[in-house]
Amino acid sequence: MTYKVPFIRPSFPSADEVAEDYKQIVASNWFTNFGPFERKFAQEIGNYIGDEYTAVTFCSATAGLLASIVAILGKGDNSKYVIMPSFTFAAGADAIIWCGYKPLFVDIEQRGLHMDIDATKTAIEQYGDEIAGILFCNAFGAGTYNIEEWEALAKSFNLPLIIDSAAGFGSLYSNGSKVGRAGDCEIFSFHATKSFAIGEGGAVVTKNKQLAEQLVSIQNFGFNKRNATYLGFNGKLQEISAAIGLRQMDVFEDSLKNKRTIFDKYSKGIDSSRYSLQLNAQNAALCFAVIVMQDSKQRDQKLNELHEAGVDAKTYYSPALHSQNYFKDCTIAGSLHTTEKIEASVLSLPLHYNMSDEHSDLIINVLNNS
Ligand SMILES: *Cc1c(COP(=O)(O)O)cnc(C)c1O
């Protein structure tokens, strides 16, 4: 079914602009393998995050996750765990398993919907040397309110902290620092559904130059001058995708500002006695707007009403990973009480660039109707 208000409406450069880039690519006879568009795009992504940061582009965030885990933790032998939330997208758990580790699911906290730091500490104390690292997720791309505490926790247990910020390019942590600057590295997705969209693509950002070099090698078959030095694969970003990325970079700040204005409308308009917004979402890149409802009954009812009114809404990240077939036997540390409560009551609303008042008012009205 097609909706009057689709869930995602990506905004892309015009066909004419992309045709210009493509002409240049054909004329140069350089289609992929770190050509001029990719080199410039990687530079701009790194500069956007901050002076000391290096960005390594990838063909997807999933490829970036795989390369980061194998670079930082090494290839596992299925004996160790990587701590992660169950309330996230499947790619993180997939990457952990592909790299030879086992996901260890911990609960989330209620306000930011991020992994719970106390539950994580308890899990680390319980599992000790069986833990190889932490894969934190900035849920829905919104920066957590306690990133300093996460860095301190990882440091105190001497564990790597890898951060899946897939939907968070452009987001800020609560302390004002850019998402992309924390942990050993942060991973972004430029998938068509994310706020910074190029189709398929991603990047890993780090201030560790040696790690960045290793990531470039891993995404290029592990080569160091044609001599395979690491376990690698093909994770490269091709020129036309990087060209689209450069065009998106030019309009990104504007588009972020526009989306935050629309989020502000939601935040003022939605009945806050019945619904709560994700903490710090006003500083997020906002692929969509996440609200937590009172219970599953209210959620399912409003989801239905929105669909009937011609608005597509979703229940991301529900079902959580531990409720999905492939991950249902993964180990759970402690309880997933809050995860289960949130997966039953979470709702994601469309939030498009340049969304009309008519559409945002329609959504607010459906939610606020009794
Ligand atoms: C979108 C997303 C991914 C996957 O990104 P791809 O670029 O499609 O590989 C991974 N993790 C999270 C949290 C995501 O939202």
Side-chain angles (χ1 to χ4, degrees):
M1 146 157 205
T2 56
Y3 291 95
K4 179 163 89 178
V5 186
F7 184 57
I8 303 275
R9 179 176 279 148
S11 104
F12 268 78
S14 73
D16 285 347
E17 288 175 303
V18 179
E20 282 300 308
D21 298 334
Y22 187 62
K23 274 184 204 156
Q24 221 175 304
I25 291 167
V26 172
S28 72
N29 193 33
W30 196 345
F31 295 88
T32 188
N33 284 11
F34 316 107
F37 284 100
E38 189 283 331
R39 289 292 71 216
K40 182 147 188 268
F41 182 51
Q43 195 73 47
E44 289 199 8
I45 294 292
N47 290 348
Y48 181 87
I49 299 299
D51 283 347
E52 311 144 71
Y53 293 84
T54 306
V56 178
T57 66
F58 278 89
C59 59
S60 69
T62 305
L65 280 162
L66 284 164
S68 301
I69 294 169
V70 94
I72 294 168
L73 308 183
K75 175 96 167 64
D77 60 4
N78 298 316
S79 66
K80 294 202 175 187
Y81 292 106
V82 175
I83 295 186
M84 68 170 293
S86 170
F87 189 70
T88 185
F89 187 65
D94 285 328
I96 286 171
I97 295 170
W98 276 111
C99 292
Y101 296 89
K102 300 177 286 186
L104 179 63
F105 293 137
V106 301
D107 209 0
I108 53 169
E109 39 81 21
Q110 171 96 27
R111 297 183 308 149
L113 312 179
H114 300 110
M115 209 153 61
D116 185 90
I117 196 159
D118 295 325
T120 303
K121 188 158 181 256
T122 306
I124 296 171
E125 283 162 354
Q126 185 188 347
Y127 285 83
D129 289 346
E130 288 181 85
I131 309 278
I134 301 169
L135 179 64
F136 185 81
C137 176
N138 276 313
F140 304 114
T144 184
Y145 63 89
N146 58 353
I147 192 61
E148 310 89 338
E149 291 172 43
W150 279 99
E151 292 191 305
L153 177 84
K155 199 166 167 204
S156 74
F157 287 99
N158 203 16
L159 288 172
L161 177 64
I162 299 171
I163 304 179
D164 178 354
S165 299
F169 189 77
S171 299
L172 299 175
Y173 287 109
S174 293
N175 64 12
S177 163
K178 274 187 175 149
V179 166
R181 293 186 177 183
D184 289 273
C185 64
E186 297 203 40
I187 296 107
F188 294 113
S189 170
F190 305 140
H191 187 260
T193 51
K194 313 290 183 184
S195 281
F196 189 100
I198 68 176
E200 294 281 4
V204 179
V205 177
T206 178
K207 48 180 178 202
N208 180 338
K209 296 259 183 300
Q210 215 180 331
L211 172 63
E213 278 172 28
Q214 196 180 343
L215 290 169
V216 171
S217 172
I218 290 171
Q219 67 163 227
N220 190 28
F221 309 99
F223 284 152
N224 176 6
K225 299 197 177 81
R226 270 275 154 188
N227 176 10
T229 306
Y230 300 107
L231 172 64
F233 59 95
N234 181 359
K236 298 181 302 267
L237 185 73
Q238 62 170 342
E239 287 293 275
I240 189 65
S241 305
I244 294 172
L246 286 166
R247 300 261 180 203
Q248 295 291 55
M249 207 63 180
D250 291 341
V251 296
F252 186 53
E253 279 308 309
D254 242 25
S255 116
L256 263 184
K257 228 187 261 167
N258 178 281
K259 287 188 140 198
R260 285 177 183 155
T261 309
I262 295 158
F263 180 81
D264 200 47
K265 281 196 63 185
Y266 280 143
S267 131
K268 293 196 172 105
I270 288 171
D271 178 358
S272 61
S273 69
R274 286 190 287 168
Y275 313 115
S276 56
L277 290 154
Q278 186 190 13
L279 191 72
N280 198 32
Q282 75 279 7
N283 293 315
L286 298 167
C287 303
F288 39 78
V290 178
I291 61 173
V292 176
M293 330 223 8
Q294 283 157 331
D295 51 36
S296 64
K297 189 163 157 269
Q298 186 194 46
R299 194 268 306 271
D300 295 345
Q301 185 193 330
K302 287 297 172 187
L303 182 61
N304 251 334
E305 288 177 23
L306 285 165
H307 284 166
E308 275 163 20
V311 175
D312 194 11
K314 304 274 186 201
T315 59
Y316 293 166
Y317 310 119
S318 176
L321 299 183
H322 75 287
S323 309
Q324 298 184 31
N325 274 339
Y326 188 71
F327 304 113
K328 69 180 188 312
D329 297 325
C330 291
T331 309
I332 293 168
S335 94
L336 295 182
H337 178 77
T338 306
T339 300
E340 284 174 353
K341 189 170 148 205
I342 298 295
E343 74 177 328
S345 57
V346 73
L347 186 65
S348 298
L349 307 170
L351 197 169
H352 310 153
Y353 171 69
N354 271 345
M355 190 174 205
S356 67
D357 286 344
E358 184 205 330
H359 288 176
S360 53
D361 289 343
L362 170 65
I363 291 169
I364 294 168
N365 288 337
V366 171
L367 289 173
N368 288 354
N369 283 342
S370 45

